[in-house]
Amino acid sequence: MKNRPLIVGLGGTTRTGSSSEKALGISLRAAERAGARTLRIDGAGLDLPTYAPERKERTEAALALITALRECDGLIIASPSYHGSVSGLVKNALDYTEDLAKDERVYLDGCAVGLISCGAGWQGAGHALTTLRSIAHSLRAWPTPMGAMLNTTMRVFDDNGECVDESASFQLETVGRQVVEFASMRRSIAQSSERLAA
């Protein structure tokens, strides 16, 4: 089990069954089919105190998030587009990566990251996806070539949360697979380097 890469899914909203939460689930299932272990942090798990670097105390939920980010081989982030950017909930969760600034792996250095944005229209979703990509680069992560962008004014999901849009399904599943592929390559290179150094 430990030999399989750990992919953490982060996103959604405080509203159960949101489009971004459903999209995240589809990408994580694709990651599992590609051979990964997955851990999902959404909804209540993202309802954290505003990140304050000067405060050292952390809630249990914040500690769980920080531990997951520290241990993951890959990350999938799904955000709704709020007024042309990512949601405050997702951005605040990502601000907690500052607690990784002095780790051996600084922030998300070399970590594969898949990105998903959902918006009521293409413009907002496009801006949110671009913002997520900029954040990933700032955290030294490797965004996957495919980023998923969903226009939720169209029928993307059925009542059971299954994706009924072929293009959206392709994007979400590709994001999940690519994160696993990138993470597995990274692990393989690291293990080869360790063997050579031994």
Side-chain angles (χ1 to χ4, degrees), residues 31-44:
E32 288 170 357
R33 288 194 299 274
R37 298 173 289 140
T38 63
L39 173 65
R40 183 172 170 153
I41 302 174
D42 59 14

Side-chain angles (χ1 to χ4, degrees), residues 26-58:
I26 291 167
S27 283
L28 286 174
R29 288 193 292 276
E32 288 170 357
R33 288 194 299 274
R37 298 173 289 140
T38 63
L39 173 65
R40 183 172 170 153
I41 302 174
D42 59 14
L46 295 178
D47 194 5
L48 305 168
T50 300
Y51 180 74
E54 73 280 5
R55 287 193 222 128
K56 298 305 174 196
E57 65 278 2
R58 298 285 178 255

Side-chain angles (χ1 to χ4, degrees), residues 77-79 86 90 94 113-117 127-137 143:
I77 306 169
S79 177
V86 299
V90 169
L94 291 171
V113 178
L115 305 169
I116 303 165
S117 69
H127 285 304
L129 186 61
T130 300
T131 300
L132 285 172
R133 193 170 290 276
S134 295
I135 291 169
H137 280 291

Side-chain angles (χ1 to χ4, degrees), residues 62-143:
L63 287 171
L65 170 65
I66 293 162
T67 299
L69 293 173
R70 181 170 280 136
E71 295 177 354
C72 73
D73 298 292
L75 181 65
I76 300 174
I77 306 169
S79 177
S81 167
Y82 285 173
H83 313 115
S85 190
V86 299
S87 72
L89 192 72
V90 169
K91 178 60 171 66
N92 185 55
L94 291 171
D95 285 345
Y96 277 87
T97 56
E98 188 60 29
D99 282 14
L100 311 179
K102 295 182 179 171
D103 281 13
E104 186 175 343
R105 179 181 79 180
V106 178
Y107 299 124
L108 298 172
D109 188 24
C111 187
V113 178
L115 305 169
I116 303 165
S117 69
C118 301
W122 294 116
Q123 184 174 350
H127 285 304
L129 186 61
T130 300
T131 300
L132 285 172
R133 193 170 290 276
S134 295
I135 291 169
H137 280 291
S138 296
L139 294 174
R140 307 184 190 184
W142 294 358

